[in-house]
Amino acid sequence: MPVEFLGIAATNDGSETTPRSGAAFDRDYTLRLARAHEDHGWDRVLFAYGSGSPDPAPAAAYIAGELDRLQILLAHRPNVSYPTFAAKTFATLDQISEGRLTVHFITGGNDQEQGREGDTLTKDERYARTREYIRIVKKIWTTHESFDHEGDHYRFHDFVSDVFPVQQPRPNVSFGGSSPAAYAAGGAEADIYCLWGEPLEKTAEQIEAVKAAAKAAGRTDVPRIQVAFRPIIAPTEELAWEKAHRTVGVINARRERGELISKRHNSQAQPENSGSQRLIAIAEAGERYDRALWTPTAAATGGAGNSNALVGTPETVARALLDYYDLGVDILSARGYDLLGDAIDFGRHVIPIVREEVAKRDAERTARGARVLESAVNG
């Protein structure tokens, strides 16, 4: 199966290790970073969402109008707009990008962050709302006649959109989470299910949970699986590990100075969402797993989002990514700490290795299939 690479479409140069040098939306940097991804072998970039951050939809439209190939993953929270409005926004962006849009629906795992924009629902209520929201958006994308909707969270009458996506029948829907409620919602509705990087054994367990949820929802297919990491690469193993420890040292120092209290997350020590809780538990159980997975980066940030690292030479990190590919992961998400420089280095030195090895695996699989067919035909 083909492999795809997802990077980050940050709107400024700030990261856990580096304070941003300018405004929250730096137009020139946003384009430079996106262009670096397009020029160095990445397939798409994520425009993330935060309550006080620049709106990702117009930022994505800006990049879509400037670049020709790079695909867009747009994060969206259902609490911030009505689904009729959102569906038109997404369809318009798919038109602007000529069919390069995927939408990532975020249910929200932190009550304080959700409350900043007026969302007071409980976690389970949010998941129910997200499922209803996604179904409405899908219907609007594919329905050319007016319809009514009477649901638990949304009600409207005689709606029909006049703007439709380029992609037929519709753009893909992406979803993530590590709780039973998340598996149920994403298993039912998602085309792509997103996970944070965990040890191979735990990732395999999560993939099975997603597959089971899809089957329970009556699906005959299953979502594609995406897994996210923070790569730390260098020309030698020794240099890579020196870089890794230096990176964690900077993160810890910034946290101690109070520079990493995110505006998007509650500053409390114990995160509310299951994904972050899992990352912290994994870090407490050990620092190193499998071929290259390293957890102190997650521990240093309190399990804040995509935070487990893959450490080593480009060859080591590529082999580690291929281990996940062999589990059934075909979308690999990566984001360094020097956003621009690491996007270029990863694109130059890691992506080609992974693509070459995946091509070999696919060729071998095709050859084995041909031999089996020939044997069956010839008796």
Side-chain angles (χ1 to χ4, degrees):
M1 59 184 176
V3 65
E4 296 181 7
F5 288 91
L6 169 70
I8 190 69
T11 58
N12 61 71
D13 60 357
S15 75
E16 296 93 332
T17 60
T18 308
R20 76 179 190 224
S21 61
F25 181 73
D26 181 331
R27 188 174 184 271
D28 293 339
Y29 184 84
T30 300
L31 180 57
R32 285 178 62 204
L33 181 60
R35 181 166 284 136
H37 283 87
E38 181 169 88
D39 290 345
H40 291 89
W42 299 78
D43 295 285
R44 61 171 59 88
V45 289
L46 167 66
F47 285 83
Y49 189 91
S51 60
S53 301
D55 187 346
Y62 164 55
I63 293 303
E66 293 288 334
L67 302 180
D68 298 324
R69 300 185 307 278
L70 193 66
Q71 298 176 52
I72 294 163
L73 178 59
L74 178 68
H76 180 77
R77 286 184 185 163
N79 62 293
V80 300
S81 69
Y82 217 69
T84 51
F85 175 84
K88 294 185 298 180
T89 300
F90 304 147
T92 304
L93 183 51
D94 200 53
Q95 289 283 346
I96 292 171
S97 66
E98 298 182 308
R100 287 179 280 150
L101 176 69
T102 298
V103 182
H104 180 68
F105 289 93
I106 303 173
T107 298
N110 182 286
D111 290 343
Q112 182 179 354
E113 167 67 2
Q114 295 300 121
R116 287 171 175 146
E117 293 186 285
D119 189 3
T120 59
L121 297 186
T122 65
K123 184 176 180 180
D124 286 345
E125 289 171 336
R126 292 199 295 266
Y127 275 112
R129 178 184 60 192
T130 300
R131 292 181 73 164
E132 184 178 342
Y133 196 100
I134 293 173
R135 288 168 182 164
I136 293 169
V137 168
K138 287 179 178 177
K139 187 169 183 178
I140 292 170
W141 281 342
T142 56
T143 301
H144 291 259
E145 296 181 357
S146 63
F147 67 96
D148 301 337
H149 179 82
E150 293 282 346
D152 293 332
H153 298 277
Y154 302 102
R155 294 177 177 84
F156 54 85
H157 304 283
D158 196 34
F159 181 82
V160 63
S161 178
D162 194 34
V163 56
F164 292 91
V166 170
Q167 299 176 77
Q168 292 299 314
R170 58 173 177 77
N172 280 332
V173 165
S174 171
F175 189 90
S178 297
S179 67
Y183 299 143
E189 300 297 339
D191 302 296
I192 298 168
Y193 199 97
C194 307
L195 301 170
W196 290 332
E198 295 187 3
L200 289 165
E201 181 180 0
K202 291 188 177 294
T203 300
E205 292 170 356
Q206 287 193 290
I207 292 173
E208 290 307 309
V210 173
K211 289 180 177 179
K215 183 178 180 180
R219 293 178 60 170
T220 56
D221 64 335
V222 295
R224 297 173 65 195
I225 302 296
Q226 171 185 305
V227 178
F229 303 96
R230 307 300 294 271
I232 301 176
I233 62 173
T236 68
E237 296 292 328
E238 181 181 8
L239 289 173
W241 284 104
E242 288 178 2
K243 182 178 178 181
H245 287 288
R246 190 165 59 248
T247 297
V248 166
V250 173
I251 294 172
N252 284 329
R254 294 195 68 210
R255 186 193 64 223
E256 290 169 4
R257 293 195 298 267
E259 297 176 9
L260 291 185
I261 298 177
S262 172
K263 294 180 180 179
R264 292 188 296 166
H265 298 94
N266 195 329
S267 59
Q268 65 187 21
Q270 181 63 30
E272 297 173 19
N273 65 300
S274 297
S276 292
Q277 292 171 7
R278 288 174 64 98
L279 294 186
I280 290 172
I282 291 166
E284 289 174 347
E287 289 193 359
R288 295 180 66 169
Y289 292 86
D290 305 320
R291 195 185 299 270
L293 191 73
W294 196 54
T295 66
T297 45
T301 60
N306 171 22
S307 51
N308 269 339
L310 291 177
V311 182
T313 62
E315 292 77 13
T316 296
V317 170
R319 288 196 298 271
L321 292 170
L322 286 163
D323 291 337
Y324 287 90
Y325 175 82
D326 290 338
L327 286 182
V329 177
D330 66 342
I331 303 176
L332 300 168
S333 175
R335 171 166 57 101
Y337 291 94
D338 171 8
L339 300 179
L340 181 60
D342 287 346
I344 293 170
D345 286 346
F346 188 88
R348 283 176 173 168
H349 303 299
V350 178
I351 289 178
I353 297 174
V354 176
R355 290 201 191 279
E356 182 178 357
E357 289 301 316
V358 166
K360 289 180 182 177
R361 282 165 164 76
D362 288 348
E364 291 169 358
R365 190 178 298 112
T366 299
R368 285 197 301 270
R371 289 195 296 269
V372 170
L373 180 61
E374 182 180 3
S375 176
V377 169
N378 294 332

